């Protein structure tokens, strides 16, 4: 149990160190990014969906130095060749195809390139939107790498057209019709202008370049910052349909500015802190989850790695936790953003503050030594006499070569949080039971808290439990950990936790059972005692079982609180439920069969009686017509009525109403016809008889 | 006094009988039919009284069939009776055709409701 807690303690320590002061830990690009790139950029059968996505994947692999599989060339090259060879005039497709080709190096002959170049030059001549210029100029730049002579026909005109779309605050519009300007567009515009300058056959007017430099400075005025010294660009107006986010916008601006800095002969007037802030922004993201974000992050960092304004140098700590027990050294790494070596420099620890006394530094001005084999700056912390706890360390980088000060951005004071941990000594532990009146005190037992004990104590409600111990740091100071708890657990798993107070260099608790009787719900019986001591800076945090105590408490009064119900197993609700007993309506009492049959016979009796009565009355068929036709009709009439009654019987037995009604319809018509004939004949016969 | 009442009753019954004997045969047939239907209805009610009215729709259908046909027969008797001045111009065959038709409709409904 104590060992598990130690592991938990380390884990909590690592998590705590990662979330220090709410800022993400900044580390340069490392193998974690490489393996993430392989996981995120996954081609389906070698192809990436679109040429744009293919370019993102290939460029990321190229920057990170990841081997790409040959399937990608096999699947993507045909698409590239097809796009470049087709007669379509979409500059965006040509641009992406040329970009992918510059990485893959597919077999394309120079005639195709010349055709594409002429197409792109035509696009530039007629273009009026920023994106068209961007695609065309970018495409021509890639074609130029193949040795084909591409020269812009009208450099000044193109430069002017692109510059005309700029706004006074350094941002750009997408074309002359749109009213909204965008920072993302500014990045694209700067990149395009840089392309125009490098494609120019003659020297571009320096005053024009000076105006653009002025725009860049204006653009940097709109930079925003988070609390932890990271700087980023974002759009001023957020348009929901086209919102690109700070990462994409900042990436675009970095790309544009570094590209322009390459072609500008002088130095851009951008303070190095801002470049460092942008680098920290990209690195503070960690490892993004989507392809576009990872590509933007890696590409921007690659632009910052070798830019002409100032190259940011990242100071980072490989580990935030230093143990006094294992005599760790404080290790600091200084590299560029992609992890390459920095120029010769010295790191010095300017100040170190304990987290609980933020004003007075515990240490000042220590220079770190350099280990050239591992390119790490280190410092032994044991001689510094630093005690366990949480520290804020402030570092400063000083470059050896004074010429490098303009080339590199070192960024003043960098502050980092760190933990120094050590093994805490726990001693002078005593436990005992006191009686209420101070005259009668039992002796305290000595306790060894380095292992579980099996004490057996007994107390009644008039007595008190006393526990005390000392905690000392490796340097001999009194230590106050975060968690010092005493737990009493009853046999029925009802638990009570008490926090121990620290006073006068010792931790002590006195449990007065007389006052606690209500809190313990008057439960007498055996209680297990557990002591927990833990802190982030403590390497030997523990949870020890101390034994048990028999508590004899009085009976609870009427109104005392019941102990809380024990927690129900949360998975029990997934078990089978109680069987449902359905209540059916009791069946009706049916009569016995014989009775029903008897009454059935009885019901036919009146019919028999009716027939007998008819015979008694002298019923005869004398009026039945004798001649053939009327006789036929009469017969049919009677047969029809009989058929109807038969139909009704069938209806009751098995037919449904619709069939019955259908048949009855036909039968009814028949009956009406026949009946009419019969009855009219009968009526005329009667009338004849009467008249005669 | 009792003797006179009983003899009065006997005289009353005898006079009713002789009067009734004078009715035409076709009216007597209709009366017989009515009596037959009523007796059937009574038997059904007695049965229901014994066993309870569980399939109530069946009981109603049976009883109403008898009662309905009784009513139609009575209507026929009224219309066919020659002494009834109101229906002088109505040929009895027409009344009989109505009787047949209404009975057919009545029994269709009854059979549907029988269940």
């Amino acid at each position: 149990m104590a060992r598990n807690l130690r592991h938990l303690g380390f884990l909590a320590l690592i998590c705590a160190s990662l979330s220090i002061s709410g800022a993400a830990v900044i580390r340069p690009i490392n193998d974690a990014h490489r393996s993430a790139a392989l996981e995120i950029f996954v081609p389906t059968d070698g192809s990436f969906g679109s040429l744009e996505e293919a370019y993102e994947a290939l460029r990321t692999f190229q920057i990170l130095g990841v081997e790409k599989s040959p399937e990608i060339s096999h699947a993507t090259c045909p698409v590239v060749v097809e796009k470049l060879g087709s007669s379509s005039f979409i500059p965006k497709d040509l641009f992406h195809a040329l970009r992918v080709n510059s990485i893959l190096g597919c077999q394309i002959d120079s005639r195709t390139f010349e055709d594409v170049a002429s197409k792109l030059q035509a696009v530039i001549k007629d273009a009026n939107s920023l994106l068209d210029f961007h695609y065309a100029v970018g495409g021509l730049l890639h074609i130029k790498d193949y040795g084909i002579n591409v020269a812009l026909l009208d450099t000044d005109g193109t430069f002017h057209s692109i510059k005309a779309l700029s706004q006074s605050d350094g941002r750009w519009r997408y074309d002359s019709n749109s009213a909204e300007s965008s920072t993302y567009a500014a990045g694209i515009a700067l990149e395009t202008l840089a392309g125009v300058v490098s494609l120019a056959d003659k020297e571009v007017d320096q005053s024009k370049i000076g105006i653009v430099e002025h725009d860049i400075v204006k653009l940097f005025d709109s930079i925003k910052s988070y609390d932890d010294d990271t700087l980023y660009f974002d759009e001023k107006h957020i348009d929901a349909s086209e919102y690109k986010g700070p990462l994409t916008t900042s990436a675009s601006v970095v790309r544009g500015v570094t590209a322009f800095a390459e072609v500008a002969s002088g130095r851009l007037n951008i303070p190095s802190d801002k470049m460092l802030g942008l680098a920290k922004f990209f690195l503070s993201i960690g490892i993004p989850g989507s392809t576009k974000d990872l590509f933007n992050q890696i590409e921007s960092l690659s632009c910052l790695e070798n830019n002409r304004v100032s190259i940011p140098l990242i100071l980072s700590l490989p580990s935030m936790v230093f143990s006094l027990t294992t005599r760790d050294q404080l290790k600091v790494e200084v590299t560029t953003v992609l992890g390459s070596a920095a120029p010769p420099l010295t790191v010095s620890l300017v100040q170190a503050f304990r987290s609980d006394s933020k004003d007075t530094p515990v240490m000042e001005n220590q220079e770190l030594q350099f280990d050239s084999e591992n390119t790490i700056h280190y410092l032994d912390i044991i001689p510094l006499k630093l005690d366990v706890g949480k520290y804020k360390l402030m570092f400063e980088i000083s470059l050896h070569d004074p010429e490098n000060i303009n080339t590199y951005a070192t960024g003043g004071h960098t502050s980092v949080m760190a933990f120094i941990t050590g093994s805490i000594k726990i001693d002078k532990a005593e436990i005992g039971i006191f009686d209420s009146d101070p005259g009668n005190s039992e002796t305290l037992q000595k306790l060894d808290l380095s292992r579980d004990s099996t004490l057996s104590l007994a107390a009644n409600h008039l007595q008190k439990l006393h526990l005390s111990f000392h905690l000392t740091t490796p340097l001999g100071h009194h230590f106050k950990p975060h968690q010092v708890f005493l737990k009493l657990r009853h046999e029925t798993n009802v638990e009570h936790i008490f926090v121990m107070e620290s006073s006068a260099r010792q931790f002590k608790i006195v449990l007065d059972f007389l006052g606690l009787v209500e809190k313990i719900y008057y439960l007498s019986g055996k209680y297990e005692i557990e002591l927990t001591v833990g802190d982030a800076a403590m390497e030997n945090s523990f949870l020890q079982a101390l034994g048990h105590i028999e508590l004899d408490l009085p009976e609870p009064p009427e109104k005392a609180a019941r102990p809380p119900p024990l927690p129900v197993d949360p998975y029990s609700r997934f078990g089978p439920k109680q069987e449902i007993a359905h209540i059916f309506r009791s069946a009706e009492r049916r009569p016995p069969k014989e009775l029903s049959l008897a009454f059935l016979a009885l019901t036919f009796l009146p019919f028999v009686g009716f027939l007998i009565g008819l015979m008694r009355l002298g019923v005869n068929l004398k009026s039945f017509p004798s001649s053939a036709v009327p006789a036929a009709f009469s017969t049919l009439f009677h047969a029809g009525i009989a058929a109807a009654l038969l139909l009704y019987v069938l209806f009751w037995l098995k037919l449904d109403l619709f069939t019955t009604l259908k048949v009855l319809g036909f039968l009814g018509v028949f009956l009406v016809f026949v009946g009419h004939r019969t009855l009219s004949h009968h009526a005329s016969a009667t009338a004849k008889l009467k008249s005669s | 006094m009792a003797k006179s009442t009983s003899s009065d009753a006997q005289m009353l019954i005898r006079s009713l009988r002789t009067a009734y004997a004078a009715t035409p045969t076709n009216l007597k047939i209709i009366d017989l039919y009515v009596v037959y239907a009523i007796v059937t209805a009574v038997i059904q009610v007695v049965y229901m009284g014994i066993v309870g009215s569980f399939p109530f729709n069946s009981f109603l259908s049976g009883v109403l069939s008898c009662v309905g046909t009784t009513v139609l027969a009575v209507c026929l008797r009224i219309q066919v009776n020659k002494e009834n001045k109101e229906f002088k111009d109505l040929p009895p065959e027409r009344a009989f055709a109505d009787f047949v038709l209404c009975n057919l409709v009545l029994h269709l409904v009854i059979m549907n409701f029988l269940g």
Side-chain angles (χ1 to χ4, degrees):
Chain A
M1 178 95 77
R3 176 182 282 202
N4 286 342
L5 202 69
R6 206 170 291 145
H7 287 159
L8 273 174
F10 267 125
L11 197 63
L13 197 59
I14 293 167
C15 291
S17 63
L18 285 175
S19 62
I20 291 170
S21 76
V25 170
I26 292 179
R27 302 269 303 131
I29 300 292
N30 50 22
D31 284 336
H33 281 88
R34 292 188 182 88
S35 47
L38 281 169
E39 273 176 26
I40 293 174
F41 287 110
V42 175
T44 48
D45 301 326
S47 76
F48 281 100
S50 73
L51 283 176
E52 196 175 345
E53 290 165 27
Y55 174 71
E56 287 172 4
L58 291 169
R59 181 86 181 114
T60 312
F61 289 155
Q62 191 185 43
I63 296 171
L64 290 174
V66 171
E67 284 289 320
K68 61 178 190 295
S69 62
E71 289 167 355
I72 301 178
S73 299
H74 283 156
T76 322
C77 272
V79 181
V80 169
V81 170
E82 188 243 316
K83 277 268 184 296
L84 291 178
S86 77
S87 55
S88 73
F89 225 70
I90 307 174
K92 185 171 171 181
D93 289 340
L94 296 173
F95 173 63
H96 288 313
L98 285 166
R99 285 210 296 184
V100 172
N101 184 47
S102 68
I103 300 180
L104 284 181
C106 303
Q107 296 289 337
I108 300 180
D109 60 332
S110 41
R111 264 219 63 147
T112 324
F113 281 130
E114 281 166 11
D115 283 338
V116 174
S118 55
K119 274 187 210 166
L120 291 175
Q121 279 166 338
V123 168
I124 292 179
K125 203 158 69 135
D126 301 324
N128 54 7
S129 95
L130 181 60
L131 287 174
D132 282 340
F133 278 120
H134 174 59
Y135 295 138
V137 170
L140 286 175
L141 272 175
H142 283 294
I143 294 179
K144 188 173 168 184
D145 292 337
Y146 282 91
I148 304 200
N149 186 20
V150 287
L152 274 184
L153 303 169
D154 180 12
T155 313
D156 286 337
T158 318
F159 199 97
H160 181 74
S161 317
I162 300 174
K163 182 71 182 69
L165 294 170
S166 74
Q167 303 284 87
S168 58
D169 58 354
R171 285 143 92 237
W172 246 263
R173 288 173 298 154
Y174 278 106
D175 57 45
S176 40
N177 296 333
S178 65
E180 291 291 323
S181 59
S182 130
T183 316
Y184 180 79
I188 293 183
L190 291 170
E191 207 182 335
T192 316
L193 285 172
V196 166
V197 171
S198 40
L199 285 174
D201 44 1
K202 61 180 191 340
E203 198 58 37
V204 175
D205 195 2
Q206 281 306 309
S207 61
K208 290 205 179 82
I209 296 190
I211 295 174
V212 177
E213 286 178 10
H214 187 67
D215 283 335
I216 294 178
V217 171
K218 273 264 149 69
L219 186 65
F220 266 77
D221 284 342
S222 71
I223 206 169
K224 299 183 189 170
S225 79
Y226 288 126
D227 287 339
D228 51 356
D229 307 326
T230 56
L231 302 173
Y232 65 99
F233 288 97
D234 203 356
E235 300 290 359
K236 194 152 88 174
H237 304 288
I238 296 187
D239 179 4
S241 57
E242 287 190 18
Y243 180 59
K244 289 191 162 66
L247 176 56
T248 317
T249 318
S250 310
S252 163
V253 172
V254 163
R255 227 175 279 139
V257 168
T258 50
F260 199 80
E262 296 288 320
V263 300
S265 50
R267 285 199 59 81
L268 282 184
N269 190 14
I270 299 174
S272 60
D273 290 346
K274 297 209 171 159
M275 302 305 277
L276 186 63
L278 282 169
K280 281 189 182 172
F281 168 72
F282 290 115
L283 287 175
S284 68
I285 294 169
I287 299 180
S290 75
T291 55
K292 277 217 173 327
D293 287 346
L294 183 60
F295 164 69
N296 278 325
Q297 183 198 38
I298 300 292
E299 222 217 357
S300 329
L301 290 172
S302 142
C303 291
L304 287 171
E305 169 92 347
N306 287 320
N307 73 84
R308 276 195 55 191
V309 185
S310 57
I311 301 178
L313 290 175
I314 305 293
L315 186 147
S316 59
L317 268 66
S319 156
M320 298 276 184
V321 176
F322 308 105
S323 163
L324 292 176
T325 329
T326 55
R327 308 179 79 83
D328 282 346
Q329 291 174 325
L330 171 67
K331 293 199 175 116
V332 169
E333 251 185 356
V334 180
T335 60
T336 61
V337 291
L338 288 183
S340 322
L345 48 85
T346 312
V347 180
S348 52
L349 177 62
V350 175
Q351 281 178 328
F353 298 95
R354 279 187 74 95
S355 59
D356 46 7
S357 60
K358 291 200 166 60
D359 302 324
T360 42
V362 295
M363 207 180 57
E364 282 181 315
N365 289 329
Q366 294 279 340
E367 218 178 79
L368 277 76
Q369 293 165 302
F370 183 56
D371 176 9
S372 47
E373 253 181 62
N374 303 327
T375 53
I376 283 234
H377 303 260
Y378 65 91
L379 186 67
D380 279 321
I381 49 173
I382 303 293
L384 298 173
K385 296 262 181 285
L386 291 171
D387 209 350
V388 297
K390 190 163 142 180
Y391 287 87
K392 181 166 134 173
L393 307 171
M394 299 198 27
F395 294 97
E396 191 181 47
I397 300 175
S398 26
L399 294 160
H400 289 170
D401 191 353
E403 286 177 10
N404 284 342
I405 292 179
N406 286 333
T407 329
Y408 290 95
T410 56
H413 288 181
T414 316
S415 79
V416 175
M417 294 297 240
F419 280 92
I420 297 187
T421 66
S423 198
I424 304 293
K425 196 165 65 151
I426 176 164
D427 57 1
K428 298 206 190 72
E430 293 170 329
I431 190 166
I433 305 285
F434 280 109
D435 276 334
S436 250
D437 43 341
N440 218 344
S441 65
E442 298 183 19
T443 51
L444 294 170
Q445 292 183 36
K446 291 258 183 282
L447 207 53
D448 179 12
L449 287 173
S450 56
R451 51 183 176 76
D452 287 346
S453 312
T454 46
L455 291 173
S456 186
L457 303 169
N460 63 28
H461 67 287
L462 295 170
Q463 291 174 320
K464 301 182 195 179
L465 173 74
H466 173 107
L467 171 66
S468 67
F469 50 86
H470 288 230
L471 293 173
T472 325
T473 68
L475 266 67
H477 301 136
H478 172 57
F479 183 64
K480 276 205 222 174
H482 251 155
Q483 303 172 344
V484 188
F485 300 135
L486 182 70
K487 182 156 88 170
L488 292 179
R489 186 171 63 238
H490 190 240
E491 314 164 293
T492 55
N493 284 334
V494 178
E495 297 178 342
H496 307 280
I497 300 181
F498 305 97
V499 178
M500 292 181 65
E501 303 288 324
S502 153
S503 62
R505 305 189 66 84
Q506 71 167 353
F507 279 89
K508 182 167 137 171
I509 189 169
V510 176
L511 288 180
D512 183 2
F513 292 119
L514 192 62
L516 289 172
V517 139
E518 258 198 54
K519 184 163 177 260
I520 308 183
Y521 308 112
Y522 292 88
L523 277 176
S524 304
K526 189 162 123 177
Y527 283 82
E528 301 284 331
I529 310 175
E530 279 179 358
L531 177 67
T532 308
V533 175
D535 190 78
M538 185 170 162
E539 281 170 16
N540 54 338
S541 306
F542 62 84
L543 187 152
Q544 302 279 20
L546 296 181
H548 64 90
I549 177 169
E550 283 280 346
L551 275 186
D552 182 18
L553 301 172
E555 285 299 314
E558 288 297 314
K559 293 269 175 59
R562 298 263 126 239
L566 291 169
V568 176
D569 175 19
Y571 288 102
S572 63
R573 72 162 105 151
F574 297 122
K577 293 229 183 312
Q578 205 182 17
E579 187 85 21
I580 300 174
H582 296 280
I583 301 172
F584 293 104
R585 193 180 58 159
S586 55
E588 293 284 337
R589 198 170 47 94
R590 304 307 292 267
K593 208 162 155 197
E594 298 77 21
L595 187 65
S596 303
L597 287 172
F599 264 89
L600 182 66
L602 207 59
T603 312
F604 283 117
L605 242 91
F607 186 63
V608 171
F610 177 62
L611 289 175
I612 295 173
L614 280 180
M615 284 199 306
R616 288 265 306 260
L617 278 173
V619 155
N620 53 39
L621 285 172
K622 284 207 194 94
S623 292
F624 201 82
S626 40
S627 48
V629 170
F633 276 122
S634 291
T635 327
L636 281 176
F637 178 61
H638 289 289
I641 293 179
L645 294 176
L646 184 67
L647 176 69
Y648 290 163
V649 170
L650 278 177
F651 171 44
W652 184 51
L653 285 177
K654 63 178 205 179
L655 292 177
D656 58 25
L657 189 61
F658 300 109
T659 327
T660 313
L661 283 178
K662 210 164 46 172
V663 176
L664 195 62
F666 294 124
L667 202 55
V669 167
F670 169 72
L671 260 179
V672 162
F673 173 66
V674 162
H676 176 73
R677 289 296 295 266
T678 309
L679 289 171
S680 55
H681 173 263
H682 187 266
S684 60
T686 320
K688 242 188 264 172
L689 206 61
K690 205 183 272 181
S691 62
S692 68
Chain B
M1 199 54 70
K3 210 166 151 204
S4 65
T5 41
S6 65
S7 62
D8 281 337
Q10 276 180 358
M11 266 184 63
L12 188 64
I13 289 171
R14 216 176 292 136
S15 68
L16 275 174
R17 256 211 190 137
T18 44
Y20 188 68
T23 54
T25 318
N26 50 357
L27 294 183
K28 281 192 194 160
I29 294 173
I30 295 173
D31 290 337
L32 187 60
Y33 180 71
V34 167
V35 166
Y36 153 58
I38 296 289
V39 169
T40 314
V42 165
I43 292 177
Q44 286 180 69
V45 171
V46 166
Y47 181 61
M48 184 213 76
I50 295 177
V51 303
S53 70
F54 166 53
F56 196 56
N57 54 316
S58 310
F59 162 68
L60 275 180
S61 141
V63 166
L64 286 179
S65 149
C66 298
V67 168
T69 197
T70 306
V71 167
L72 289 172
V74 165
C75 289
L76 178 66
R77 192 186 195 277
I78 292 172
Q79 289 174 345
V80 159
N81 197 354
K82 290 199 179 47
E83 286 170 23
N84 196 346
K85 294 292 176 274
E86 205 181 329
F87 289 101
K88 202 163 49 131
D89 298 324
L90 185 71
E93 284 76 18
R94 167 73 197 278
F96 181 66
D98 286 341
F99 172 74
V100 168
L101 180 68
C102 291
N103 258 315
L104 283 178
V105 172
L106 172 71
H107 284 93
L108 174 70
V109 174
I110 290 300
M111 290 311 244
N112 193 20
F113 194 53
L114 196 59

